[in-house]
Amino acid sequence: MDRGYTDMPLQRRPMTLLFCSGIDNAGLWREALRRRLPDVTLRVWPEVGDPDDIDMALVWQPPPGIFAGLAKLRLVMSLGAGVETLLADPSLPDVPLVRMVADSLSDDMAGFVALQVLRWHRHSDEFDAAQAAGVWRWLPYRPAREVTIGLLGLGELGRAAAVVLGALGYRVLGWSRSPKRLDGVECFAGPDGLEAMLPRCDQLVCLLPLTADTRGILDRRLFARLPAGAVLVNAGRGDHLVEADLIDALDCGRLGGASLDVFSEEPLPAGHPFWRHPRIRVSPHSAAATHPAQAVEQVAATLAAFRDGRPLANRVERGRGY
C-alpha cells in the first residue's frame, strides 16, 4: 500500500521536490519549476540537504540506490515515458510512480519516426553519398500510399506517430498487447495479430514499453517474418533488440536497414559494431525530449492531484511495467 502523510494534511503541508537527471538541463528545470510551483522547495541532486525534507522526486535514470534514506518520500515522477530503470532499483519505495506523457514528447517522437521512415523510403543516404561524390543520380521510389509501416505499440507515442504517418500518405498498421481501435490504422493484437501483421510491413517501428514480455522481441524470429529488405526503426528501448540477430539479418540481406535511437548500453561504446555498420543509422537516445517549459504543466497537475488526493494521471502499474 502506498505511504501517506501522517503529520498534517497534504493541502497545507509544504513540499520539497528533488530533481535528478544526468542529461536534462537542471537550470532550465529549476527556472520552470520555480515559476510554475513557487510554493515548492526545489533541491537538485546531489545537493539533497536534509533527506527527511524530500516529498517528491522528479528523475530520469537516477543513480541506483538514490531513494535509500529518503524516508519521507511520497511520490516519484519520471521525466520520460520509460520507467524500467526505476522499477529495477530496489531502493524505490512503495509510493505512487508516474511517467511523463507530454504533448511535446509525443510530437517529438512522431517527428523522429517520420524522419526515419522518409529517410529510408526516399533514399536519403544514397543521395547524400551521391552529393559527396559529385554525382547526379536519380533513384525511383514508390508512392507513400504503396508503403506499409507497422507500429509496435499503440500508446501515446504510437498513436502520435500513426497520425503523422497517415497524414504523409503511408498505410499504417499497429500492434498492441490488447485490442485497440485507432482511426486510419489497421490494428492487430496478441501473438496471432503480430504474426499476421509482420509480413505486410515494409518498415517496422518499435515504440513499445519494456516489459518481461517485450524484452528481446526484436530477434531473428521476428525478422524472418518481415518481407525481405524491410527496415527496422527502434525508438522503444535498447533491450527490445537482440543486437547480434540484427547484424546477422542486415548482413544476409533479410533486412535492408535499421535506425536505432536506443541501446542496451548507453552511451553506445566506442567500439560497438553499430557505429560503422553501413546499414545502421545511430542517434543518441534523442528521438523525444522532455522540454521543461511544456512538461512542467504535467508536473504541476500531478502534484495538485496528489495533494488533493485525486487519482494520478499516467500512474504506472508496476505489475505491467508501464
Side-chain angles (χ1 to χ4, degrees):
M1 182 178 294
D2 296 331
R3 301 196 304 233
Y5 287 107
T6 58
D7 49 353
M8 80 169 42
L10 293 177
Q11 293 90 332
R12 299 194 303 271
R13 189 184 191 278
M15 296 196 72
T16 299
L17 182 152
L18 175 64
F19 177 90
C20 179
S21 172
I23 63 171
D24 292 276
N25 188 310
L28 291 178
W29 270 103
R30 187 191 298 274
E31 179 182 352
L33 289 165
R34 284 180 172 169
R35 184 172 58 250
R36 185 64 179 82
L37 299 168
D39 60 330
V40 173
T41 299
L42 178 64
R43 307 264 174 86
V44 177
W45 178 269
E47 303 299 326
V48 175
D50 185 349
D52 285 347
D53 292 341
I54 305 300
D55 302 286
M56 174 183 177
L58 181 62
V59 300
W60 177 248
Q61 297 185 347
I66 189 176
F67 304 111
L70 302 181
K72 300 297 181 65
L73 188 67
R74 298 294 183 265
L75 177 66
V76 177
M77 187 169 185
S78 171
L79 282 162
V83 293
E84 64 275 2
T85 301
L86 293 171
L87 293 174
D89 188 342
S91 76
L92 180 70
D94 186 18
V95 301
L97 173 61
V98 176
R99 62 191 180 94
M100 182 68 69
V101 179
D103 289 343
S104 58
L105 270 175
S106 299
D107 292 345
D108 283 359
M109 182 59 77
F112 175 84
V113 169
L115 172 66
Q116 302 309 316
V117 167
L118 286 165
R119 181 178 192 170
W120 293 103
H121 172 211
R122 299 292 296 269
H123 307 300
S124 177
D125 290 343
E126 289 88 343
F127 288 136
D128 288 347
Q131 179 181 351
V135 175
W136 183 271
R137 183 188 180 197
W138 189 89
L139 293 171
Y141 58 88
R142 289 183 291 163
R145 64 179 177 271
E146 296 179 9
V147 178
T148 301
I149 312 299
L151 295 172
L152 297 179
L154 292 176
E156 296 289 338
L157 301 180
R159 289 195 292 269
V163 169
V164 172
L165 292 172
L168 290 171
Y170 291 104
R171 295 184 299 213
V172 182
L173 313 180
W175 179 85
S176 54
R177 185 180 68 167
S178 56
K180 293 186 178 181
R181 298 183 65 181
L182 189 61
D183 289 344
V185 178
E186 186 177 352
C187 296
F188 300 80
D192 291 342
L194 183 60
E195 290 292 309
M197 186 184 83
L198 290 174
R200 297 173 56 187
C201 299
D202 297 300
Q203 297 193 37
L204 183 69
V205 179
C206 180
L207 297 172
L208 290 166
L210 183 63
T211 68
D213 292 332
T214 64
R215 187 181 299 274
I217 190 172
L218 304 175
D219 63 0
R220 65 177 65 249
R221 183 180 180 280
L222 180 144
F223 300 150
R225 295 288 295 155
L226 292 169
V231 167
L232 172 70
V233 178
N234 186 21
R237 289 291 178 265
D239 284 342
H240 286 137
L241 176 64
V242 179
E243 295 183 350
D245 288 0
L246 173 62
I247 291 176
D248 288 347
L250 291 168
D251 289 347
C252 75
R254 161 51 54 187
L255 295 184
S259 291
L260 307 177
D261 186 62
V262 289
F263 307 91
S264 295
E265 182 180 354
E266 296 182 358
L268 189 65
H272 198 287
F274 284 173
W275 283 116
R276 298 188 179 279
H277 197 287
R279 302 304 294 168
I280 293 178
R281 300 295 168 259
V282 168
S283 54
H285 204 142
S286 59
T290 304
H291 303 289
Q294 289 79 42
V296 72
E297 294 301 324
Q298 185 179 331
V299 177
T302 298
L303 184 54
F306 180 66
R307 282 174 151 170
D308 295 343
R310 293 183 279 112
L312 302 177
N314 307 312
R315 181 168 175 172
V316 173
E317 296 183 30
R318 298 197 184 199
R320 297 176 65 182
Y322 59 94

